[in-house]
Amino acid sequence: MSTSSLPVLLVTVILLIAMMGICVWAKKLTFPAALTAGLIGFFVFAGIGETGILMLVTFFILGVSATAHKKQLKAKYHPEILDNNGRNAGQVFANGGVAGLTGILAIVDHHHSDLYVLMAAASLASALADTLSSELGMVYGRRFYNILTFKREANGLDGVVSLEGTLIGTCGASVIGLIYAGFDKMSLIVIGAGILGNLTDSILGATFERKNYMSNDVVNFLNTLVASLLAIMVYYIFNFP
């Protein structure tokens, strides 16, 4: 790391600490969750840079906003969401852990940092798509279907999707894609990976999570991991520059 970048890193660390404090005070995150988020943010910035931290902050702001939106209505399907203790460390790592790990890889293997940025972007596109489609689809969805059987099922069940929720999730993935690469073909990789990662979440929810073989945190981590790996596969298969 160059000497000129040290002040920027210091300012970023101060801002991360401030955000951690605000989130704990506002009961958006528990204290361990805030520490986890701070570490993820540090590694993302140190390894991936300003674009990485912007994608991460965008995911956090939109995710928190979607979670808080019409909370009382969503409590009809998930009464536990009225618990106001905030997200725990496991939930934070499940959504941002892959991005944090790619940040560490970018620090260690800086010659391939561009690929790790792509992986981080795809993972956050999937995380945001999943969060928005779940939280807002529950509110604005009209017809709900099992992702595997396409049979009508109740709103709020694992693996149940709606057209409205899926479209909202696609918008979320597109936001991350645009931050990553603007109106460039590389953003399409991120958007596509984010959409497929979100669908993976629903499939895992309809199978393993519904049968209690996997927790929601594991499902969320896997959907972000799948998205990041899909992005790399597409990158190499189609020989993107």
Side-chain angles (χ1 to χ4, degrees), residues 103-201:
I104 295 173
L105 290 173
I107 295 171
V108 175
D109 182 23
H110 61 274
H111 294 297
H112 298 99
S113 60
D114 288 349
L115 295 181
Y116 298 126
V117 177
L118 172 61
M119 293 178 71
S123 73
L124 291 172
S126 181
L128 185 56
D130 172 43
T131 301
L132 296 188
S133 62
S134 298
E135 297 291 344
L136 300 182
M138 199 182 307
V139 175
Y140 296 108
R142 292 294 175 264
R143 295 179 177 84
F144 299 89
Y145 303 90
N146 185 299
I147 186 68
L148 295 178
T149 65
F150 294 103
K151 292 181 180 179
R152 295 281 294 271
E153 288 193 350
N155 184 3
L157 291 178
D158 297 324
V160 170
V161 300
S162 67
L163 174 61
E164 294 82 2
T166 302
L167 291 176
I168 292 170
T170 299
C171 291
S174 300
V175 169
I176 299 298
L178 290 174
I179 293 174
Y180 166 69
F183 293 96
D184 184 83
K185 60 185 179 181
M186 290 297 292
S187 66
L188 296 178
I189 298 180
V190 172
I191 296 169
I195 294 170
L196 292 175
N198 186 25
L199 292 176
T200 298
D201 183 279

